[in-house]
Amino acid sequence: MRIVAVDETVACATSPRPMRGLKVSSADWHAELKSAVRDPAQLLTALDLPDSLLPAARAAAKAFPLFAPGGYIGRMTPGRLDDPLLRQVLPLGEELDEVPGFAADAVGDAAATKSAGLIQKYQSRALLITTGACAVHCRYCFRRHFPYSTAPKSVDDWEPALDLIRADDSLDEVLLSGGDPLTLVDTTLAELAERLAAIPHLKRLRIHTRLPIIIPARVTSELLAWLCGTRLTPLVVIHANHAQEIDDNVANSLARLVDAGVPLLNQSVLLRGVNDSTTALVDLSRRLTDLRVMPYYLHQLDRVAGAAHFEVPISRGLQLIAEMRTQLPGYAVPRYVQEIAGEAHKRVLA
């Protein structure tokens, strides 16, 4: 596959819209990843937060490292410990508490693994763990304990997984996940997309990513070239939990994807202290729909060890969805779902 230069126009064949003419270099997003904050002391200093938080933050970061790019930190309000973006990335002492019912593999990934990096839980679709790298370390991450060292490290290493996909003609969709697949370089992703497109029974390629939210410069023409460059129908599922995450730069990155004809869906996680209010969820849905992004899922928290302090009772989630329906059109209300290990589909709560 030819990766076009950053100033060329790219559009999916299904879209009549031209791509907006923003030029973005791949060096920009690489630089943001490399310069991300990894030291809790640096994060606290940048946001004028008290040093008394540091011992617990460092202890929690030993178990699951801090990783937060500067652009994302820049959307936080200094001096506010309850900032909804800060709460998603600041390591806290509560993460070290052992809470009954919270486990390392909360969603049954191990039992659903068919080969290294290949997970299949549901009929007709399979998921590839493309990398363990992310643009941000979300403290509630359901894969924070995942054994990423066992996942393939190169496109050729994917061949055993691809062989299983080739052999199963009941599959018509492959999801690229991780980690975050868009932390990989576009040449690698283009080659993987080509190999998937060569499998006749596949119809769709779905990307699950937080990069357009965390580092909007990641949406380059090179990305759009391979995403729109095969016969597979592309879909991108982004992950925003709060409207404060979506500034003008993020809005522009999402517009580039939509203008290129890529359907965009958003999934959120219901998080205590982040978005567990009607106002927060309504504001997020309105912001998304204004940007032509469909609110898709609101997930009940996966009960992963280290994230118990984020859990919101399902009864409260049901109340929030009911209140959202009184303020929003139906298309702007996400489905409230819960993943139960071993079940044939996500459980729809509302």
Side-chain angles (χ1 to χ4, degrees), residues 119 121-130 143 171-182 189 192-193 196-197 202-210 223 226-228 230-238 257 262-267 296-297 299 335 337 339 345-346:
I119 294 175
K121 297 179 181 179
Y122 308 130
Q123 289 187 15
S124 79
R125 53 216 184 267
L127 181 149
L128 296 179
I129 299 290
T130 56
R143 289 200 178 114
L171 298 174
D172 59 16
E173 182 171 346
V174 167
L175 290 67
L176 302 188
S177 184
D180 195 310
L182 295 191
L189 291 166
L192 181 57
L196 289 168
L202 294 182
K203 306 299 181 185
R204 294 175 300 280
L205 179 63
R206 192 193 324 171
I207 313 297
H208 280 230
T209 179
R210 197 130 152 79
L223 166 61
W226 66 261
L227 188 59
C228 296
T230 77
R231 64 171 187 81
L232 298 175
T233 299
L235 300 98
V236 172
V237 180
I238 60 169
L257 285 159
V262 179
L264 283 189
L265 308 172
N266 182 71
Q267 58 180 359
Y296 171 44
Y297 278 156
H299 288 268
R335 282 171 289 176
V337 299
E339 183 167 353
H345 56 80
K346 288 182 174 61

Side-chain angles (χ1 to χ4, degrees), residues 83-107:
D83 183 277
L85 277 59
L86 173 66
R87 186 161 171 77
Q88 294 181 60
V89 303
L90 177 64
L92 297 175
E94 290 96 321
E95 296 178 33
L96 303 176
D97 296 340
E98 293 187 11
V99 180
F102 286 76
D105 184 6
V107 296

Side-chain angles (χ1 to χ4, degrees), residues 278 314-324 336:
T278 306
I314 290 176
S315 58
R316 175 59 176 157
L318 294 171
Q319 180 185 9
L320 290 167
I321 290 291
E323 292 171 356
M324 290 179 75
Y336 181 33

Side-chain angles (χ1 to χ4, degrees), residues 154-171:
S154 70
V155 175
D156 287 340
D157 290 342
W158 283 108
E159 277 305 308
L162 295 178
D163 283 341
L164 290 176
I165 294 171
R166 292 184 188 104
D168 186 354
D169 60 9
S170 72
L171 298 174

Side-chain angles (χ1 to χ4, degrees), residues 2-301:
R2 185 178 68 96
I3 301 296
V4 300
V6 296
D7 58 348
E8 291 187 48
T9 296
V10 179
C12 289
T14 56
S15 172
R17 291 178 176 271
M19 189 183 72
R20 298 188 180 189
L22 180 65
K23 296 181 182 180
V24 182
S25 168
S26 61
D28 298 337
W29 68 269
H30 281 297
E32 286 199 60
L33 278 177
K34 289 179 180 177
S35 63
V37 170
R38 296 168 171 83
D39 182 356
Q42 185 181 356
L43 180 65
L44 296 177
T45 298
L47 294 170
D48 296 327
L49 294 170
D51 291 340
S52 58
L53 299 170
L54 188 56
R58 281 190 166 152
K62 286 183 179 179
F64 183 48
L66 165 69
F67 191 89
Y72 190 70
I73 295 170
R75 296 171 230 165
M76 302 174 188
T77 303
R80 280 195 56 187
L81 186 57
D82 63 347
D83 183 277
L85 277 59
L86 173 66
R87 186 161 171 77
Q88 294 181 60
V89 303
L90 177 64
L92 297 175
E94 290 96 321
E95 296 178 33
L96 303 176
D97 296 340
E98 293 187 11
V99 180
F102 286 76
D105 184 6
V107 296
D109 279 342
T113 297
K114 304 301 181 184
S115 72
L118 175 63
I119 294 175
Q120 186 180 0
K121 297 179 181 179
Y122 308 130
Q123 289 187 15
S124 79
R125 53 216 184 267
L127 181 149
L128 296 179
I129 299 290
T130 56
T131 177
C134 281
V136 64
H137 286 182
C138 302
R139 308 311 299 178
Y140 53 87
C141 179
F142 70 96
R143 289 200 178 114
R144 56 183 287 165
H145 305 289
F146 190 87
Y148 287 111
S149 61
T150 64
K153 300 297 188 293
S154 70
V155 175
D156 287 340
D157 290 342
W158 283 108
E159 277 305 308
L162 295 178
D163 283 341
L164 290 176
I165 294 171
R166 292 184 188 104
D168 186 354
D169 60 9
S170 72
L171 298 174
D172 59 16
E173 182 171 346
V174 167
L175 290 67
L176 302 188
S177 184
D180 195 310
L182 295 191
T183 60
L184 298 176
V185 296
D186 287 310
T187 51
T188 297
L189 291 166
E191 185 174 353
L192 181 57
E194 276 193 331
R195 295 194 189 190
L196 289 168
I199 301 174
H201 51 265
L202 294 182
K203 306 299 181 185
R204 294 175 300 280
L205 179 63
R206 192 193 324 171
I207 313 297
H208 280 230
T209 179
R210 197 130 152 79
L211 257 298
I213 300 297
I214 304 299
I215 303 179
R218 179 63 184 94
V219 183
T220 63
S221 295
E222 292 93 339
L223 166 61
L224 295 173
W226 66 261
L227 188 59
C228 296
T230 77
R231 64 171 187 81
L232 298 175
T233 299
L235 300 98
V236 172
V237 180
I238 60 169
H239 178 180
N241 295 311
H242 197 279
Q244 187 178 320
E245 293 181 284
I246 307 174
D247 63 8
D248 289 344
N249 288 329
V250 172
N252 287 335
S253 79
L254 301 179
R256 296 193 83 208
L257 285 159
V258 177
D259 286 351
V262 179
L264 283 189
L265 308 172
N266 182 71
Q267 58 180 359
S268 305
V269 180
L270 183 59
L271 300 167
R272 183 160 66 90
V274 174
N275 58 8
D276 56 335
S277 71
T278 306
T279 297
L281 292 174
V282 166
D283 287 350
L284 175 60
S285 280
R286 284 178 172 155
R287 181 69 167 142
L288 291 167
T289 54
D290 286 347
L291 295 172
R292 299 172 287 164
V293 180
M294 184 64 65
Y296 171 44
Y297 278 156
L298 175 65
H299 288 268
Q300 178 64 15
L301 180 77

